[in-house]
Amino acid sequence: MCLLGLLVLLFPLLCTSNPKDTFIRSRAAYYGSPDCSRTPEGACGFGEYGRTVNQGNVAGVAGLYRNGSGCGACYQVRCTNQQYCSDDGVNIVATDYGEGDGTDFILSRRAYSKLARPNLAFKLFACSAVDVQYKRISCRYSGNNLMYKVNEHSRYPSYLSILILYAGGQNDITAEDSKQWKPMSREFGAVWDMENPPKGSIHLKLQLSGSAGVNWVQNKNAIPDYWKAGVVYDSTIQLT
């Protein structure tokens, strides 16, 4: 028997309601601790991946978190002080929830330093927060397919919890009901779970919805029967 997990990927209004090159004004701060540690797993559930993905150029987000559907979204962020800030800023991945004083982003120290012109990062670190502009961009993970990690707190065979990694493009992941496919529920952040999954290999079906309409994608590589907690499985899918 095959488990029928349903995940739905929707292009958010943030990406479709604004012109491609429109930046939104906000503010950004940075994590005080060098390793960006907040909670053991972070609000997205990414763990160590949430600190190291994208060469450590990551951020916690507040309003953009959107109850977890914003986990894994990518943004171009640039500060607006022409004297100290670089023109392009930094491309970040949202990997946690983080609130500040009127900020949309709490950047890792590595990402925050890249907002600055060469040798001027110390000027920005002297500020508790800076004015920025940002826009949603496609995530690009060269050489990485979308991956499913079976979380360590999964309990074979009665409880399955998976974490979605390397979700490319401009996609938000949500849950949807279906007559043929059994939906998984969002546990929190980018983590999805299911009680009492059927025995057998596990296929996940993805629905991509955007301006081009709705397309269904199903991975060829199933999560195998006798899956193991802590193991990462390759979906063979590259989202763009």
Side-chain angles (χ1 to χ4, degrees):
M1 181 183 295
C2 295
L3 170 61
L4 313 141
L6 175 68
L7 301 177
V8 181
L9 291 91
L10 300 175
F11 290 91
L13 291 177
L14 174 60
C15 305
T16 58
S17 61
N18 294 291
K20 181 178 179 181
D21 294 323
T22 296
F23 281 84
I24 301 169
R25 293 185 178 274
S26 184
R27 287 173 62 77
Y30 62 93
Y31 285 111
S33 59
D35 64 354
C36 307
S37 58
R38 290 75 64 196
T39 63
E41 292 296 328
C44 289
F46 285 137
E48 186 62 22
Y49 170 93
R51 289 187 284 271
T52 59
V53 68
N54 195 38
Q55 294 80 52
N57 296 311
V58 298
V61 293
L64 298 172
Y65 180 74
R66 300 190 304 280
N67 295 318
S69 64
C71 291
C74 295
Y75 299 91
Q76 180 184 357
V77 182
R78 63 189 188 189
C79 59
T80 58
N81 184 307
Q82 295 183 351
Q83 184 177 0
Y84 302 134
C85 298
S86 67
D87 293 334
D88 294 329
V90 62
N91 295 342
I92 62 93
V93 182
T95 60
D96 199 2
Y97 181 89
E99 290 186 3
D101 182 14
T103 63
D104 277 305
F105 300 92
I106 308 294
L107 299 172
S108 66
R109 295 176 69 90
R110 179 181 179 86
Y112 193 83
S113 68
K114 289 190 173 182
L115 294 176
R117 295 184 182 276
N119 303 315
L120 291 178
F122 73 97
K123 292 288 189 180
L124 299 187
F125 278 113
C127 306
S128 59
V130 292
D131 293 327
V132 297
Q133 299 173 327
Y134 73 89
K135 66 178 179 179
R136 180 82 180 261
I137 60 174
S138 291
C139 297
R140 305 289 185 188
Y141 299 111
S142 178
N144 289 105
N145 296 326
L146 183 142
M147 310 289 281
Y148 308 125
K149 178 183 178 182
V150 178
N151 278 318
E152 285 78 0
H153 61 279
S154 296
R155 302 182 304 276
Y156 182 87
S158 61
Y159 174 72
L160 174 65
S161 171
I162 65 170
L163 175 65
I164 306 298
L165 306 176
Y166 299 112
Q170 294 187 20
N171 305 301
D172 282 355
I173 300 177
T174 62
E176 183 94 355
D177 213 344
S178 172
K179 293 181 180 179
Q180 291 79 27
W181 291 77
K182 185 175 182 180
M184 300 185 76
S185 300
R186 186 188 299 278
E187 183 180 355
F188 71 98
V191 179
W192 299 81
D193 68 354
M194 176 179 289
E195 296 280 356
N196 300 314
K199 294 181 180 180
S201 59
I202 302 169
H203 289 273
L204 297 180
K205 191 174 183 180
L206 310 179
Q207 186 188 64
L208 284 73
S209 179
S211 59
V214 176
N215 296 301
W216 288 92
V217 177
Q218 182 177 335
N219 61 301
K220 296 180 180 178
N221 280 7
I223 298 175
D225 192 7
Y226 304 109
W227 44 264
K228 296 181 179 180
V231 176
V232 178
Y233 298 98
D234 190 341
S235 73
T236 73
I237 298 171
Q238 280 195 346
L239 299 179
T240 57

